[in-house]
Amino acid sequence: MRGMSHVHVYPDAPGPARPSRRAVTVSAVLGAFLVASGADVAAARTASADILLRLPAPTGPHPVGLTTWYLVDRSRRDPWDGTIPVRELVATVFYPARGVRRHPPAPQLAPVAAAVFGALAPYQHPGLPVAGVDWAATMTHAHQDAPAAPARRPVLLHSPGGGDPRGFGAGLAQDLASHGFVVVTVDHPGDALVVEFPGTTEYRGDVVRTTAFREDPRSNPATFDTMISTRIADLRFVLDQVEVLAGGGNPDATGRALPTGLARAVDPRRVGVYGHSAGGTAVAQATYDDRRMDAAIDLEGYLDHPGERPGEPGRLFPVAEYGVNRPLLLWGTDGFPDRAGMERSWQPMLAHPGGWTRRRELRDAAHWAFTDFAAFAPQLQAAGLMTADARTALVGAIEPARSVPTVRTGVREFFACHLGT
């Protein structure tokens, strides 16, 4: 409710049997999108049992812990919903663990978020199956709230692609953590396809929130500008909370207990940022704006605003116009459909003197090869749930045996070079 205090109200205590708020939410969201899209559920492919998608295991020497933060920035209103007087965020922290005994592996997506994702993802990514996948069953190789290893580690912030939930960067994040980094993956509510919160509040009556986007944000300059500026502010606020943690405080707005040793595991003097697509745009500009960010990787994100009319060039972001005096890697794919548009913004960035900006290209690949879809799309194709053409459009023809280690190694070596481990 608008204008009310910021006291958090959590789901009702058990009472007489009735449909749960979560069940109603999922049904309502699924129904609304299916009706709006005219989808024929009866025509969707079904299987005797939903398949389980698997994430590749981490390759580093450290076991991995994981914890989730609910963060509230009371200095900002939500840009996508005028009834929310604060900016709420949810983040997952992956970190090297001291041990993982009696700490179970954590799922890639929270249960309700997984159900909503399964309903909505085929409309965000045409070619994904409308049925036949148990999205809630995919587990990470990170263990819930395991004690952190006792050493200061570089911190990496991750911003996912436009509409993508933070969970689809879990494979890379857990691998980085296994090699000695603390990685904070951030959901951007109202932007992300679905975000699951720990409870309701007086101004948000549901535990899930779905995307506000009904079109490609790049097609609307005002929407795109709001998306990127919001993500930059989100990242800077999350970094503020990392500093709170390093100072012995608890960033979680619910006061949820932190894993043992986590406050002593972060080094806020060594910070890197990486992001995919819109997340790549945001981390590059955030590095220009915030001196605390020491190095950045833009995984195929534009560095200019969209033009006011289709086909018109837009103005460059300041990071591309003026350059930055910290390491920045621009990493794209050969299968990106708007290569000319990307070049328009990347070439000015690369032309700045000093050698701070470099570029790479992933061959035989497409845009989402930088996400967990790199591993999932071939599994879906093998199960008959995705066509070869749809798989190629999503991640390219590249096999995960090549794409996954190439991206993992490239990101890890870049940050190890500039931040240490």
Side-chain angles (χ1 to χ4, degrees), residues 90-124:
V90 183
T92 297
V93 185
F94 296 82
Y95 52 91
R98 188 176 71 232
V100 297
R101 187 180 177 189
R102 290 194 287 272
H103 292 271
Q108 181 190 31
L109 296 175
V112 181
V116 178
F117 177 84
L120 305 188
Y123 307 108
Q124 181 190 20

Side-chain angles (χ1 to χ4, degrees), residues 219-234:
S219 69
N220 184 317
T223 300
F224 186 80
D225 290 355
T226 299
M227 175 173 67
I228 301 303
S229 62
T230 300
R231 283 168 169 259
I232 292 168
D234 289 347

Side-chain angles (χ1 to χ4, degrees), residues 49 71 99 101 108-109 117 126 138 159 171 241 243 259 268 311 335 351 367 376:
L71 307 173
R101 187 180 177 189
Q108 181 190 31
L109 296 175
F117 177 84
T138 299
S159 181
Q241 303 316 297
E243 292 178 341
H367 191 52
F376 290 166

Side-chain angles (χ1 to χ4, degrees), residues 9-11 22 70 88 196-201 204 206-208 254:
V9 181
Y10 293 92
R22 293 185 171 198
Y70 167 59
E88 301 177 285
E196 182 172 346
F197 295 94
T200 61
T201 70
R204 177 181 42 75
D206 263 317
V207 294
V208 295
T254 68

Side-chain angles (χ1 to χ4, degrees), residues 187-199:
D187 260 340
H188 302 282
D191 176 334
L193 191 66
V194 58
V195 179
E196 182 172 346
F197 295 94

Side-chain angles (χ1 to χ4, degrees), residues 145-240:
D145 295 320
R152 294 282 184 187
R153 307 285 183 178
V155 177
L156 305 179
L157 307 184
H158 169 243
S159 181
D164 286 340
R166 72 189 191 279
F168 276 76
L172 177 56
Q174 67 184 10
D175 191 67
L176 289 165
S178 78
H179 286 275
F181 296 92
V182 175
V183 185
V184 185
T185 64
V186 183
D187 260 340
H188 302 282
D191 176 334
L193 191 66
V194 58
V195 179
E196 182 172 346
F197 295 94
T200 61
T201 70
E202 291 186 347
Y203 42 78
R204 177 181 42 75
D206 263 317
V207 294
V208 295
R209 185 171 170 192
T210 55
T211 183
F213 299 156
R214 295 297 180 267
E215 60 182 353
D216 180 356
R218 186 87 182 160
S219 69
N220 184 317
T223 300
F224 186 80
D225 290 355
T226 299
M227 175 173 67
I228 301 303
S229 62
T230 300
R231 283 168 169 259
I232 292 168
D234 289 347
L235 290 168
R236 298 183 72 175
F237 176 72
V238 170
L239 184 50
D240 292 342

